[in-house]
Coordinates of all heavy atoms in Angstrom, one line a residue:
G1 N 11.3 20.6 39.1 CA 10.9 21.3 37.9 C 10.8 20.4 36.7 O 9.8 20.5 35.9
F2 N 11.7 19.4 36.6 CA 11.6 18.5 35.5 C 10.4 17.6 35.6 O 9.7 17.4 34.6 CB 12.9 17.7 35.4 CG 13.0 16.8 34.2 CD1 13.2 17.4 33.0 CD2 12.9 15.5 34.3 CE1 13.3 16.6 31.8 CE2 13.0 14.7 33.2 CZ 13.2 15.3 31.9
M3 N 10.2 17.1 36.8 CA 9.0 16.2 36.9 C 7.7 16.9 36.7 O 6.7 16.3 36.4 CB 9.0 15.5 38.3 CG 10.2 14.5 38.5 SD 10.0 13.1 37.3 CE 11.3 12.1 37.9
A4 N 7.7 18.2 36.9 CA 6.5 19.0 36.8 C 6.2 19.2 35.3 O 5.0 19.6 35.0 CB 6.6 20.4 37.5
L5 N 7.1 19.0 34.4 CA 6.9 19.2 33.0 C 5.9 18.2 32.5 O 6.2 17.0 32.7 CB 8.2 19.2 32.2 CG 9.1 20.4 32.4 CD1 10.5 20.1 31.7 CD2 8.5 21.7 32.0
F6 N 4.9 18.6 31.8 CA 4.0 17.6 31.2 C 4.6 16.6 30.3 O 4.3 15.4 30.3 CB 2.8 18.3 30.6 CG 1.8 17.3 29.9 CD1 0.9 16.7 30.7 CD2 1.8 17.1 28.6 CE1 0.0 15.8 30.2 CE2 0.9 16.2 28.0 CZ 0.0 15.6 28.8
P7 N 5.5 17.0 29.4 CA 6.1 16.1 28.5 C 6.9 15.0 29.2 O 6.9 13.8 28.7 CB 7.1 16.9 27.6 CG 6.5 18.3 27.6 CD 5.9 18.4 29.0
A8 N 7.5 15.3 30.3 CA 8.2 14.3 31.1 C 7.3 13.2 31.6 O 7.5 12.0 31.4 CB 9.0 14.9 32.2
S9 N 6.2 13.6 32.3 CA 5.3 12.7 32.9 C 4.5 11.9 31.8 O 4.2 10.7 31.9 CB 4.3 13.3 33.8 OG 3.6 14.4 33.2
F10 N 4.2 12.6 30.7 CA 3.5 12.0 29.6 C 4.3 10.9 28.9 O 3.8 9.8 28.6 CB 3.1 13.1 28.5 CG 2.4 12.5 27.4 CD1 1.0 12.2 27.5 CD2 2.9 12.3 26.1 CE1 0.3 11.7 26.5 CE2 2.2 11.8 25.1 CZ 0.9 11.5 25.2
S11 N 5.6 11.1 28.7 CA 6.5 10.1 28.1 C 6.6 8.9 29.0 O 6.6 7.8 28.5 CB 7.9 10.7 27.8 OG 8.6 10.9 29.0
I12 N 6.6 9.1 30.3 CA 6.6 8.0 31.2 C 5.3 7.2 31.2 O 5.3 6.0 31.1 CB 6.9 8.4 32.7 CG1 8.4 9.0 32.7 CG2 6.8 7.3 33.7 CD1 8.7 9.7 34.1
G13 N 4.2 8.0 31.2 CA 2.9 7.3 31.3 C 2.6 6.5 30.1 O 1.9 5.5 30.2
I14 N 3.1 6.9 28.9 CA 2.8 6.1 27.7 C 4.0 5.2 27.3 O 4.0 4.5 26.3 CB 2.4 7.0 26.5 CG1 3.6 7.9 26.1 CG2 1.2 7.8 26.8 CD1 3.3 8.7 24.8
G15 N 5.0 5.1 28.2 CA 6.0 4.1 28.1 C 7.0 4.3 27.0 O 7.7 3.4 26.5
Q16 N 7.2 5.6 26.6 CA 8.2 5.9 25.5 C 9.6 6.0 26.1 O 9.7 6.4 27.3 CB 7.7 7.1 24.7 CG 6.5 6.9 23.9 CD 6.3 8.0 22.9 OE1 7.0 9.0 22.8 NE2 5.3 7.8 22.0
P17 N 10.6 5.8 25.3 CA 12.0 5.7 25.8 C 12.7 7.0 26.0 O 14.0 7.0 26.1 CB 12.7 4.8 24.8 CG 12.0 5.2 23.5 CD 10.6 5.4 23.9
Q18 N 12.0 8.2 25.9 CA 12.8 9.4 26.0 C 13.7 9.5 27.2 O 14.7 10.1 27.2 CB 11.8 10.6 26.0 CG 11.2 10.9 24.6 CD 9.9 10.2 24.3 OE1 9.8 9.0 24.7 NE2 9.0 10.8 23.6
G19 N 13.2 9.0 28.4 CA 14.0 9.0 29.6 C 15.3 8.3 29.4 O 16.4 8.8 29.9
L20 N 15.3 7.2 28.7 CA 16.6 6.4 28.5 C 17.5 7.2 27.6 O 18.7 7.2 27.8 CB 16.2 5.1 27.8 CG 15.4 4.1 28.7 CD1 15.0 2.9 27.9 CD2 16.0 3.7 30.0
I21 N 16.9 7.9 26.6 CA 17.8 8.7 25.7 C 18.3 9.9 26.5 O 19.5 10.3 26.3 CB 16.9 9.2 24.5 CG1 16.5 7.9 23.7 CG2 17.7 10.1 23.6 CD1 15.5 8.2 22.6
L22 N 17.5 10.5 27.3 CA 18.1 11.7 28.1 C 19.2 11.2 29.0 O 20.2 11.9 29.2 CB 16.9 12.3 28.9 CG 17.3 13.5 29.8 CD1 17.8 14.6 28.9 CD2 16.1 13.9 30.7
L23 N 19.0 10.0 29.6 CA 20.1 9.5 30.5 C 21.4 9.2 29.7 O 22.5 9.6 30.1 CB 19.6 8.2 31.1 CG 20.7 7.5 32.0 CD1 21.2 8.4 33.1 CD2 20.1 6.2 32.5
A24 N 21.2 8.7 28.5 CA 22.4 8.5 27.6 C 23.1 9.8 27.2 O 24.3 9.8 27.2 CB 21.9 7.7 26.3
M25 N 22.3 10.8 27.0 CA 22.9 12.1 26.7 C 23.6 12.7 27.9 O 24.7 13.2 27.8 CB 21.8 13.1 26.2 CG 21.2 12.8 24.9 SD 19.9 14.0 24.4 CE 20.9 15.5 24.2
A26 N 23.1 12.5 29.1 CA 23.7 12.9 30.3 C 25.1 12.2 30.5 O 26.1 12.8 30.9 CB 22.8 12.7 31.5
V27 N 25.0 10.9 30.3 CA 26.3 10.1 30.4 C 27.3 10.6 29.4 O 28.5 10.7 29.7 CB 25.9 8.6 30.2 CG1 27.2 7.8 30.1 CG2 25.1 8.1 31.4
A28 N 26.8 10.8 28.2 CA 27.7 11.3 27.1 C 28.4 12.6 27.5 O 29.6 12.8 27.2 CB 27.0 11.4 25.8
V29 N 27.6 13.5 28.0 CA 28.2 14.8 28.4 C 29.3 14.6 29.5 O 30.4 15.2 29.4 CB 27.0 15.7 29.0 CG1 27.6 16.9 29.7 CG2 26.1 16.2 27.9
R30 N 29.0 13.8 30.5 CA 30.0 13.6 31.5 C 31.3 12.9 31.0 O 32.4 13.2 31.4 CB 29.4 12.9 32.7 CG 28.3 13.6 33.4 CD 28.8 15.0 33.8 NE 27.8 15.8 34.6 CZ 27.8 17.1 34.5 NH1 28.6 17.8 33.8 NH2 26.8 17.7 35.2
L31 N 31.1 11.9 30.1 CA 32.2 11.2 29.5 C 33.0 12.2 28.7 O 34.3 12.1 28.7 CB 31.7 10.0 28.6 CG 31.2 8.8 29.4 CD1 30.5 7.8 28.4 CD2 32.3 8.1 30.1

């Protein structure tokens, strides 16, 4: 479902760092 979202694939395609920020938020939640 997440990969199907256009903003997710668009951010990857144009090389923006949203994925890194999302990972940091996920790490922060678990910490």
Side-chain angles (χ1 to χ4, degrees):
F2 186 70
M3 289 299 185
L5 291 173
F6 178 77
S9 58
F10 182 74
S11 69
I12 294 171
I14 63 173
Q16 292 195 352
Q18 283 91 324
L20 299 175
I21 295 171
L22 181 62
L23 177 60
M25 291 180 67
V27 170
V29 167
R30 294 308 180 210
L31 285 171

